[in-house]
Amino acid sequence: DAMVIQNPRYQVTQFGKPVTLSCSQTLNHNVMYWYQQKSSQAPKLLFHYYDKDFNNEADTPDNFQSRRPNTSFCFLDIRSPGLGDAAMYLCATSQGLGTQYFGPGTRLTVL
Amino acid sequence: AQKITQTQPGMFVQEKEAVTLDCTYDTSDQSYGLFWYKQPSSGEMIFLIYQGSYDEQNATEGRYSLNFQKARKSANLVISASQLGDSAMYFCAMREGVYNFNKFYFGSGTKLNVKP
């Protein structure tokens, strides 16, 4: 089945230690998104790629970076995680005017 | 102004009964899409149903239907015959326009609890 895959599902890191979350898709969609979601809140868009074009939300901290080496893969790098960065990170994809499909998410814990 | 408003932070429904989750939206675009997602405690966002702004009929997907009232800018989700597995957060979302159509706006969500 075509899908959006996120690894790992759970990630524990230490305060200030860089961490990378990964997302892959078999849907061949041209748009990939990264969202941050804290408990009982709506997902907050961090950035998205339209093909190779990177679009950063104005309020996304510089601590968050992203890479999309090819259509299938997208990475979220958190350079120096703080306690406030503990959250669920959701990757999603869409194509044209179509529906946005989400991966299972990575739950990040910062110690 | 909020693009998507969900006014019910939490709701209870008895198993096997129907429930309506409210969603209103704000856009000046003629072309837009409305979506509902379910998020169980596991965290995955599951797509439920879609309604396009030009669709004349309300969307239906199994036990889910979308009550689309364009003039009132509302897109309520109706779940018929609730099941215990329907207990989850539900998010209404909108993708507006033809330009910048990659951006989706989410409401704050409604937590649904289905009682046995």
Side-chain angles (χ1 to χ4, degrees):
Chain A
D1 285 344
M3 56 177 59
V4 182
I5 302 159
Q6 289 187 246
N7 285 306
R9 296 291 307 275
Y10 300 89
Q11 177 74 56
V12 180
T13 190
Q14 291 182 333
F15 183 94
K17 186 174 180 182
V19 66
T20 295
L21 310 182
S22 73
C23 176
S24 64
Q25 56 139 338
T26 60
L27 297 162
N28 205 33
H29 285 172
N30 58 354
V31 188
M32 293 187 78
Y33 309 77
W34 279 106
Y35 289 89
Q36 179 193 64
Q37 188 182 27
K38 298 192 176 179
S39 185
S40 300
Q41 295 182 17
K44 178 181 179 299
L45 182 64
L46 296 173
F47 22 62
H48 74 274
Y49 278 92
Y50 182 81
D51 291 326
K52 292 186 177 180
D53 292 336
F54 177 71
N55 298 272
N56 200 33
E57 292 300 297
D59 58 353
T60 298
D62 293 340
N63 198 24
F64 291 86
Q65 304 286 320
S66 185
R67 298 169 282 136
R68 189 179 186 187
N70 54 52
T71 301
S72 301
F73 284 87
C74 196
F75 299 97
L76 171 62
D77 300 308
I78 309 177
R79 292 193 295 189
S80 182
L83 298 178
D85 296 328
M88 173 73 92
Y89 290 87
L90 295 164
C91 175
T93 72
S94 69
Q95 176 76 29
L97 297 177
T99 298
Q100 192 172 89
Y101 293 97
F102 286 81
T106 295
R107 205 176 289 272
L108 179 68
T109 300
V110 182
L111 301 176
Chain B
Q2 292 273 15
K3 290 282 187 183
I4 295 285
T5 301
Q6 294 181 253
T7 57
Q8 306 153 313
M11 288 192 71
F12 286 91
V13 65
Q14 201 69 39
E15 192 179 10
K16 299 180 186 175
E17 290 186 350
V19 63
T20 298
L21 307 184
D22 294 341
C23 173
T24 57
Y25 59 92
D26 181 27
T27 181
S28 56
D29 288 344
Q30 297 302 310
S31 174
Y32 52 89
L34 297 158
F35 305 81
W36 277 92
Y37 289 87
K38 172 185 178 181
Q39 189 176 41
S41 56
S42 61
E44 183 171 4
M45 294 279 277
I46 302 166
F47 165 69
L48 295 178
I49 196 166
Y50 163 78
Q51 179 86 38
S53 59
Y54 294 118
D55 295 340
E56 294 186 352
Q57 297 217 338
N58 287 341
T60 60
E61 289 285 350
R63 293 186 300 110
Y64 305 107
S65 60
L66 199 151
N67 184 0
F68 180 46
Q69 297 189 39
K70 197 168 182 176
R72 297 179 61 184
K73 294 189 174 178
S74 76
N76 298 340
L77 177 70
V78 181
I79 306 174
S80 63
S82 297
Q83 302 172 356
L84 295 178
D86 294 334
S87 294
M89 279 289 279
Y90 288 81
F91 290 96
C92 180
M94 176 176 67
R95 181 206 62 228
E96 65 180 344
V98 178
Y99 304 102
N100 197 27
F101 56 81
N102 299 317
K103 188 158 184 177
F104 284 64
Y105 298 92
F106 284 85
S108 55
T110 295
K111 184 162 187 177
L112 179 66
N113 283 289
V114 181
K115 298 188 290 184

